[in-house]
Amino acid sequence: MGLTSNKVLALAVLVAVVLFALTVRLWPRLARRGPKAVLGRVGLLLVTQLSLFAAVGLAANNYFLFYGSWADLLGQEQEMGVVVDHSAGSRDVRVVEKRGMDVPGGHHPATGGQIQKVVVEGPRSGIESPAYVYLPPEYFQPAHARRTFPAAVVLTGYPGTAENLLKGLRYPRTAYDQAKAGKMQPMVLVMLRPTVAPPRDTECVDVPGGPRTETFFARDLPEAISRTYRVGTKPRNWGFIGNSTGGYCALKIALHHPDRFAAGAGLSAYYKAAEDVTTGDLFRGDAKLRNRADLLWSLDNVRQGASSFLVTTSRQGEGNLRGTRDFIAKVKAPARVSSITLDSGGHNFGTWNREIPPALVWMSGRLSAV
């Protein structure tokens, strides 16, 4: 059983519960004096505490995906990556794995949809990045064989993993449930992390002399997906959504590329590119590039297109409340802005899971399949 298996977690919780009950049952017998009784109490407490620690640790790892396997946890994953050269005529998107959905009938794509693990190559940016593509059930149904679908790029925060979007934030399952309930149209989701040049955080900008991350997300990625899947190529066919750093990127790309994206949703986003040890020198002293990466500055100084924006915050627990209010105030026609403001909610998965369902419904309402 794998490290992230639910069976492993359930077994760890069961062992912890049994040991706790055993401690309660045996404690009166071990309350006597003497070295054997003392050693018994110490041993029982130690084993019970270790089992509780293991259960909590496994639960946290399943939620945040710090380690993907036992070998990864134990530091035994030492195999080096292999560089694979590809010809200039190779496909933009390579499918490396297909998996069903954890829904009734999920092993049939026409019933539950499908998640494909892919590698996307960007000819303009020179960036290659893994991603997950969620295809809704309608994509595989004969009645929709000639239909094109709207799509949304979905980004994690930094330094998150794309798997968080599947497990912790449950984007595919949420999209499936909301579409099944008739609250949103079926959509293709392209899920990845913003860290396309790991371990560097490039803040979705084209770094002078460095990674051209903005070019990858704004041009290479949607063009590659549209060539591979039945997804439209017009701005009204594409949206962008993300949390934290991914939220900043979503707003930034939608703001600066209204000719590519009709909508951008930033969950717990910030509004100015970070500059710290994780980013390095992003702008090489270029004040124009630095200003452009400041979304509030851009709203005041760059002509706004017809993009729609969704921003989220909370009155208690988030540090972006003031920036979010400033962003809302600066959006002008033809652009539009909507918001979600929770009474309380921190910068975490629990908060984002409260925002993702209405955000996907909002996104669906701003995009078109044709």
Side-chain angles (χ1 to χ4, degrees), residues 35 87 93 107 114 122 156 164 229 245 254 258 281 286-287 307 309 360:
S87 65
V93 177
H107 55 290
Q114 188 179 80
T156 66
N164 284 342
Y229 300 98
T245 300
D281 187 357
D286 191 323
S307 295
F309 303 103
L360 283 178

Side-chain angles (χ1 to χ4, degrees), residues 44-101:
L44 202 54
L45 286 173
L46 180 62
V47 172
T48 302
Q49 291 291 333
L50 287 174
S51 67
L52 288 171
F53 177 79
V56 172
L58 285 168
N61 187 67
N62 279 16
Y63 191 76
F64 292 105
L65 293 174
F66 298 118
Y67 300 97
S69 65
W70 293 108
D72 189 17
L73 174 66
L74 298 174
Q76 297 174 347
E77 200 69 82
Q78 302 293 333
E79 184 177 355
M80 300 297 290
V82 178
V83 176
V84 179
D85 295 322
H86 305 278
S87 65
S90 64
R91 291 177 60 87
D92 299 300
V93 177
R94 303 193 309 276
V95 179
V96 298
E97 179 188 343
K98 297 179 180 180
R99 63 177 74 168
M101 290 280 290

